[in-house]
């Protein structure tokens, strides 16, 4: 079974600074997706960034980027120029790929609570 | 992306009662996934619902406690039966994007408190 580990229960960052959230995973599959989701106090799960395992290039979305190390099974999230609105729970998630179907669920890590200090 | 509406958003329930959560999607999707998020915890998959067949439940979750219906490609319900305080959680419906099947999108969640 696949597992996702987030070893940092809580992190804090000064506004405008950079922070990196860690994630490791375990799988025997070679083709899969990795995600970071953000959950603010509103409870809504918001997709932050997505990485396909077959792509060597690290995904970026504005201030958010990942460091994907497939051999090490590591998938960290870097948030640059942190803003107060970035404060939330961040979940790393894994999804096995089966063709292009949407038929496999997400497996989540335990989450990292990020605080942003003004 | 997919737009997912969940009802109710929040409810306070009496011990021993049952509550049905509805999930409506704005496009046809093959699979719908139901997750539970207990207070301060991560998301745990309850079951996967495919239209026209019985839902597939994860270890620790049973149909008698969490019956699921999936009458068509845009709608599903999850019932939490004979509730106890341990069932107090956020329940989330999720689907894979129709045009982007590699990403899963979530409804707003249903926050149930059992007293």
């Amino acid at each position: 079974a696949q597992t996702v580990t987030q070893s940092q229960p809580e992190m804090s960052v000064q506004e405008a600074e950079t922070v990196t959230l860690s994630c490791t995973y375990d799988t025997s599959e070679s083709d899969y997706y990795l995600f970071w989701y953000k959950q603010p106090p509103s409870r809504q799960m918001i997709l932050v960034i997505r990485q396909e395992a077959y792509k060597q290039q690290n995904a970026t979305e504005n201030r958010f980027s990942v460091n994907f190390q497939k051999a090490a099974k590591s998938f960290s999230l870097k948030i640059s120029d942190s803003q107060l609105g970035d404060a939330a729970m961040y979940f790393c998630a894994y999804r096995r790929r089966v063709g292009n179907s949407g038929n496999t669920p997400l497996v989540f890590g335990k989450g990292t609570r990020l605080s942003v200090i003004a | 992306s997919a737009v997912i509406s969940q009802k109710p958003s929040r409810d306070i329930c009496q011990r021993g009662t049952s509550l049905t959560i509805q999930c409506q999607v704005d496009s046809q999707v093959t699979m719908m996934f139901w997750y539970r998020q207990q207070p301060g915890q991560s998301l745990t998959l309850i079951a996967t619902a495919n239209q026209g067949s019985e839902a597939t439940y994860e270890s620790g979750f049973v149909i008698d406690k969490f019956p699921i219906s999936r009458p068509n490609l845009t709608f599903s319900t999850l019932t939490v039966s004979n509730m106890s305080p341990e069932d107090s959680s956020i329940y989330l419906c999720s689907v894979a994007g129709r045009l982007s099947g590699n990403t899963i999108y979530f409804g707003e969640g249903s926050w149930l408190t059992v007293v």
Side-chain angles (χ1 to χ4, degrees):
Chain A
Q2 296 86 16
T3 59
V4 177
T5 301
Q6 293 179 249
S7 59
Q8 305 154 315
E10 296 182 353
M11 292 283 285
S12 62
V13 62
Q14 293 281 346
E15 199 175 4
E17 295 297 309
T18 296
V19 65
T20 299
L21 308 184
S22 301
C23 173
T24 58
Y25 59 96
D26 188 23
T27 183
S28 58
E29 304 283 341
S30 60
D31 201 4
Y32 49 86
Y33 304 104
L34 296 165
F35 304 86
W36 280 96
Y37 283 87
K38 168 185 177 181
Q39 188 180 42
S42 67
R43 314 190 307 270
Q44 177 75 54
M45 292 290 286
I46 301 166
L47 176 67
V48 175
I49 200 164
R50 171 184 60 219
Q51 175 80 43
E52 289 90 345
Y54 64 87
K55 291 186 177 178
Q56 293 186 345
Q57 186 172 4
N58 289 323
T60 62
E61 288 288 342
N62 300 314
R63 298 182 295 107
F64 299 88
S65 62
V66 298
N67 183 3
F68 173 47
Q69 301 290 328
K70 190 171 184 180
K73 295 180 182 175
S74 171
F75 183 62
S76 61
L77 174 70
K78 185 172 81 171
I79 305 174
S80 303
D81 185 26
S82 297
Q83 301 175 358
L84 294 177
D86 295 333
M89 197 75 170
Y90 285 80
F91 292 99
C92 179
Y94 164 98
R95 184 171 187 223
R96 184 168 62 95
R97 181 178 179 181
V98 179
N100 287 320
S101 75
N103 294 342
T104 56
L106 289 164
V107 176
F108 285 92
K110 291 186 180 300
T112 297
R113 183 172 301 282
L114 178 67
S115 302
V116 180
I117 304 165
Chain B
S1 65
V3 178
I4 306 168
S5 300
Q6 262 188 257
K7 293 180 182 178
S9 174
R10 182 190 290 248
D11 208 340
I12 298 174
C13 309
Q14 294 295 321
R15 186 191 303 245
T17 63
S18 299
L19 183 85
T20 296
I21 301 166
Q22 299 180 2
C23 179
Q24 178 76 52
V25 189
D26 69 338
S27 57
Q28 294 182 342
V29 293
T30 305
M31 288 293 189
M32 297 177 79
F33 307 97
W34 287 98
Y35 288 85
R36 181 177 73 179
Q37 186 178 24
Q38 295 178 300
Q41 302 296 314
S42 185
L43 284 77
T44 301
L45 181 67
I46 297 172
T48 301
N50 193 2
Q51 192 266 337
S53 62
E54 292 280 342
T56 301
Y57 288 83
E58 296 299 301
S59 176
F61 297 96
V62 295
I63 187 171
D64 290 347
K65 176 68 175 177
F66 298 101
I68 289 172
S69 77
R70 182 81 201 275
N72 57 52
L73 290 172
T74 62
F75 187 77
S76 178
T77 66
L78 168 74
T79 299
V80 186
S81 303
N82 188 24
M83 285 186 283
S84 67
E86 292 72 32
D87 295 319
S88 298
S89 297
I90 300 169
Y91 293 87
L92 297 110
C93 168
S94 64
V95 304
R98 176 169 173 263
L99 298 180
S100 178
N102 59 9
T103 298
I104 292 185
Y105 300 94
F106 287 84
E108 310 97 326
S110 298
W111 193 345
L112 304 187
T113 301
V114 184
V115 298

